[in-house]
Amino acid sequence: MAIERILKDDASEEKGERARMASFVGAMAIADLVKTTLGPKGMDKILQSTGRGQSVTVTNDGATILKSLHIDNPAAKVLVDISKVQDDEVGDGTTSVVVLAGELLREAEKLVASKIHPMTIIAGFRMAAECAREALLKRVVDNKTNEEKFKMDLMKIAKTTLSSKILSQDKEHFAKLAVDAVLRLKGSTNLESIQIIKKPGGSLKDSFLDEGFILDKKIGIGQPKRIENANILVANTAMDTDKVKIYGARVRVDSMAKVADIEAAEKQKMREKVDKILAHGINCFVNRQLIYNFPEELFANAGVLAIEHADFDGIERLALVTGGEIASTFDNPESVKLGHCKLIEEIMIGEDKLIKFSGVEMGQACTVVLRGASHHVLDEAERSLHDALCVLSQTVNDSRVLFGGGWPEMVMAKAVDELARTTPGKRSHAIEAFSKALVAIPTTIADNAGLDSAELVARLRAEHNKEESNAGIDVISGSVSSMESQLLNSLHFLARP
């Protein structure tokens, strides 16, 4: 009886076979959910939120889809976490990693049903994973030493990443844009200095890369519209204290003259604060909070550009790229770090006025302005571009590259099959199952394109039995072709004037 009382009243317990089955089913359901979005011909999903407003997201980004799900199953949650980590570390390949993990579990379920112990399966999977990694490392290409070839590699990677996204129609344009932005980072993987601004209107092709930083705010009335050699004070402080702000306080006066005295005192307090700010020797003041009319007027009289209500992401990034720090108190001007840039001016994008900071301290800073027909298109374009930027910044650090189109999976599957044939005992079944799971990636890519996957994968396997084969699935022509010649074709396209 005492044993039964260990668990709470509403707790449930699952053991052995049932618990294992629930894990398999949950994880495979998640993999099947995102499977249809894999590859250049993968489909988008429409996600509707259950919260207020019922916002709608249209995406084929694995991590975004899985982040939006409400899941109870613990094994499924592990798969969602895998995709999140992949998104944080690499930025792309979120769908592939979930599909592969789901297929490994699908194969493992068959082995467990054949009475093979989970520890034996794990041992086999570990051997197979090591073998697959070794097979890939033997076939990598590294062009880091040749700048021209390396830039071409980056272009190809960007185009491959974008080919399964909403930007695939204009992938040439966006690949160039992403490569230019990442090369400005000079080897850093911190994408903070690449800002993305979304402005509805125009077509995706109208998107462009602008060096420097663009703040999505208007310049106030009576303020200077252009400032050269700017000293910028970035602040997060209340500039609306020309109103009595003591909550719950009552002020009793016996004449209107006393009210005027209180207002005069408030104004004097504000004037002193503005004088302290001006003592920093600045000509641009950017504030996170509101700036009321009176201080705005004082700044305008002093020839200082005052920008209010800058969003927090924008202000943090502005401080980063101009080399300043966000200040809240102004008593010690010598301890405040100001930001600097060569030019501040107002620009127009579509219907909107924005403020552009050119020649910023952090030379690698740049802004990508995305244009598009609607907010849904822009949100998905931002996710696609973010994936490309992440992958490119990682490639600049580790410049080893491989072909795509199901080629690496077939190379690994071939090596793992050979290992299975030479491994004695039950582990060989697990190694063979690992090989089958790898082949699921090219199979899914073909299925999503409406092609005969069984036929294509069989032809692909036959091609890979030849020495040093570069064969992969070309979903555009619906056949098996050399991935190397595909890249050369795209190079030929790049080389045209």
Side-chain angles (χ1 to χ4, degrees):
M1 221 25 222
I3 296 168
E4 282 176 26
R5 296 304 306 150
I6 289 171
L7 298 175
K8 281 188 180 176
D9 290 342
D10 54 352
S12 63
E13 185 183 8
E14 282 187 345
K15 286 184 181 173
E17 206 52 53
R18 275 194 63 153
R20 201 177 286 134
M21 267 313 293
S23 296
F24 281 135
V25 169
M28 288 187 303
I30 289 291
D32 288 343
L33 183 79
V34 294
K35 194 187 266 190
T36 51
T37 69
L38 187 70
K41 299 278 185 177
M43 289 174 287
D44 289 4
K45 300 241 180 265
I46 298 177
L47 311 169
Q48 184 174 14
S49 76
T50 50
R52 255 186 28 219
Q54 306 251 314
S55 63
V56 172
T57 308
V58 183
T59 183
N60 72 351
D61 181 52
T64 306
I65 294 166
L66 295 177
K67 251 184 248 169
S68 313
L69 299 176
H70 300 289
I71 299 167
D72 261 351
N73 187 294
K77 278 182 180 164
V78 171
L79 247 65
V80 173
D81 282 347
I82 290 172
S83 84
K84 277 184 189 162
V85 171
Q86 178 77 4
D87 197 34
D88 294 342
E89 286 293 314
V90 184
D92 197 16
T94 48
T95 311
S96 311
V97 73
V98 173
V99 171
L100 183 57
E103 287 303 324
L104 284 169
L105 284 169
R106 203 185 299 277
E107 293 298 329
E109 186 193 10
K110 293 175 195 166
L111 295 173
V112 168
S114 312
K115 297 284 183 283
I116 295 176
H117 194 274
M119 290 315 291
T120 311
I121 300 171
I122 292 164
F125 276 7
R126 286 211 170 112
M127 286 171 69
E130 194 52 44
C131 168
R133 190 169 171 274
E134 291 297 323
L136 281 187
L137 288 174
K138 283 178 192 161
R139 304 290 292 271
V140 292
V141 179
D142 193 342
N143 289 324
K144 185 85 181 224
T145 47
N146 185 332
E147 199 174 317
E148 193 59 36
K149 271 190 173 177
F150 182 57
K151 197 167 177 187
M152 285 298 185
D153 279 351
L154 289 177
M155 277 298 288
K156 291 172 199 167
I157 287 167
K159 285 200 281 187
T160 304
T161 302
L162 296 171
S163 63
S164 61
K165 313 270 188 227
I166 194 169
L167 303 176
S168 58
Q169 307 302 316
D170 305 310
K171 63 182 175 189
E172 196 74 35
H173 176 66
F174 282 99
K176 189 170 186 328
L177 199 138
V179 170
D180 287 349
V182 166
L183 288 177
R184 289 177 71 91
L185 294 177
K186 300 181 175 62
S188 162
T189 52
N190 179 15
L191 299 177
E192 280 288 305
S193 52
I194 300 175
Q195 183 199 20
I196 297 176
I197 286 183
K198 298 174 285 188
K199 284 284 161 199
S203 68
L204 282 168
K205 234 191 177 87
D206 298 333
S207 304
F208 62 92
L209 178 75
D210 202 320
E211 60 105 20
F213 182 87
I214 297 174
L215 192 66
D216 197 351
K217 297 304 294 178
K218 289 187 180 75
I219 291 177
I221 298 160
Q223 311 265 329
K225 300 284 185 203
R226 179 187 168 90
I227 289 178
E228 290 182 16
N229 297 323
N231 292 326
I232 305 158
L233 176 60
V234 185
N236 184 8
T237 185
M239 296 298 285
D240 50 359
T241 42
D242 53 339
K243 294 275 183 288
V244 174
K245 267 264 188 99
I246 308 163
Y247 295 110
R250 277 185 177 177
V251 181
R252 194 171 278 171
V253 290
D254 50 20
S255 74
M256 283 307 290
K258 294 278 173 64
V259 176
D261 287 346
I262 291 170
E263 284 186 359
E266 287 289 341
K267 276 195 164 183
Q268 184 53 34
K269 233 170 87 182
M270 194 76 249
R271 189 177 271 117
E272 282 168 14
K273 188 169 188 178
V274 171
D275 288 342
K276 278 183 185 175
I277 291 169
L278 294 175
H280 290 69
I282 57 166
N283 49 11
C284 176
F285 176 68
V286 184
N287 193 22
R288 164 82 183 84
Q289 299 176 42
L290 276 172
I291 302 176
Y292 266 37
N293 298 5
F294 179 61
E296 193 169 53
E297 190 185 312
L298 294 175
F299 283 124
N301 291 343
V304 171
L305 167 59
I307 302 163
E308 65 172 1
H309 243 193
D311 65 279
F312 207 78
D313 278 356
I315 206 169
E316 287 249 308
R317 202 177 259 129
L318 178 64
L320 173 82
V321 300
T322 57
E325 282 174 4
I326 300 174
S328 299
T329 55
F330 312 101
D331 294 320
N332 305 311
E334 66 284 347
S335 64
V336 174
K337 201 173 171 197
L338 297 180
H340 301 280
C341 77
K342 291 199 176 100
L343 176 67
I344 301 175
E345 61 185 337
E346 195 171 58
I347 59 167
M348 287 281 289
I349 297 176
E351 306 292 307
D352 299 333
K353 288 180 178 174
L354 298 95
I355 305 167
K356 181 180 170 188
F357 296 77
S358 310
V360 291
E361 288 268 298
M362 190 189 262
Q364 56 260 50
C366 60
T367 301
V368 177
V369 179
L370 288 177
R371 308 299 313 278
S374 71
H375 285 289
H376 294 310
V377 169
L378 285 173
D379 289 344
E380 182 64 354
E382 183 188 17
R383 283 189 285 269
S384 309
L385 190 64
H386 177 261
D387 284 3
L389 292 171
C390 287
V391 171
L392 291 172
S393 66
Q394 294 290 339
T395 311
V396 170
N397 276 353
D398 185 349
S399 53
R400 295 173 298 180
V401 293
L402 293 157
F403 296 120
W407 175 85
E409 285 79 15
M410 293 310 290
V411 167
M412 291 189 282
K414 185 185 173 191
V416 171
D417 271 337
E418 282 166 12
L419 176 69
R421 280 201 292 275
T422 56
T423 304
K426 285 183 179 175
R427 278 180 305 181
S428 64
H429 294 300
I431 296 169
E432 200 176 331
F434 193 96
S435 163
K436 282 181 195 159
L438 285 169
V439 176
I441 299 272
T443 306
T444 308
I445 290 171
D447 280 338
N448 288 347
L451 304 170
D452 184 347
S453 58
E455 167 73 15
L456 281 175
V457 171
R459 276 164 55 192
L460 194 55
R461 181 173 268 129
E463 283 293 325
H464 274 266
N465 270 324
K466 298 172 186 170
E467 276 305 303
E468 298 292 309
S469 170
N470 292 325
I473 291 177
D474 176 10
V475 291
I476 310 301
S477 65
S479 62
V480 170
S481 61
S482 164
M483 292 291 105
E484 193 168 23
S485 65
Q486 290 290 325
L487 286 177
L488 289 172
N489 289 345
S490 69
L491 267 178
H492 176 63
F493 181 65
L494 266 175
R496 257 187 273 162

